[in-house]
Amino acid sequence: RGAGRGKMAAGGAAEAQARFGHSVKGLLSEKVTSCGTDVIALTKQVLKGSRSAELLGQAARNMVMQEDAVLHSEDSLRKMAIITTHLQYQ
């Protein structure tokens, strides 16, 4: 009779261990999936940040070009004002 209880206890322990192992595998699987999702989200964010930096750089270059054009226009207007003044004296 005592030997039968030992077998049942061992069988119950084995079953509990199997359930625990299955539970741990499920949790690990969820964690791996969650980490994979996080890595994908992080990658998208890095790419978006990289694209944003690229666009900001392009915008800065365009502003410099516009500033040069404005400065050139200012210079031209000053020269035309001087020429207009000279023509008025003649």
Side-chain angles (χ1 to χ4, degrees):
R1 220 175 163 184
R5 283 188 191 157
K7 285 183 184 177
M8 285 178 32
E15 185 180 324
Q17 192 175 5
R19 279 197 309 259
F20 177 75
H22 184 70
S23 175
V24 168
K25 284 180 186 176
L27 288 172
L28 284 174
S29 177
E30 287 176 22
K31 284 292 183 185
V32 167
T33 301
S34 174
C35 287
T37 302
D38 290 347
V39 167
I40 290 170
L42 178 63
T43 303
K44 286 180 181 178
Q45 234 7 72
V46 167
L47 290 173
K48 190 186 292 184
S50 174
R51 180 70 177 138
S52 295
E54 183 182 325
L55 290 173
L56 281 172
Q58 189 176 1
R61 286 189 296 275
N62 288 343
M63 284 186 69
V64 168
M65 287 173 39
Q66 290 298 321
E67 186 179 17
D68 285 347
V70 167
L71 291 174
H72 180 71
S73 297
E74 263 184 349
D75 190 44
S76 295
L77 282 172
R78 244 185 263 111
K79 288 176 182 175
M80 285 193 288
I82 291 170
I83 291 171
T84 303
T85 304
H86 282 290
L87 287 174
Q88 285 173 349
Y89 285 130
Q90 288 180 358

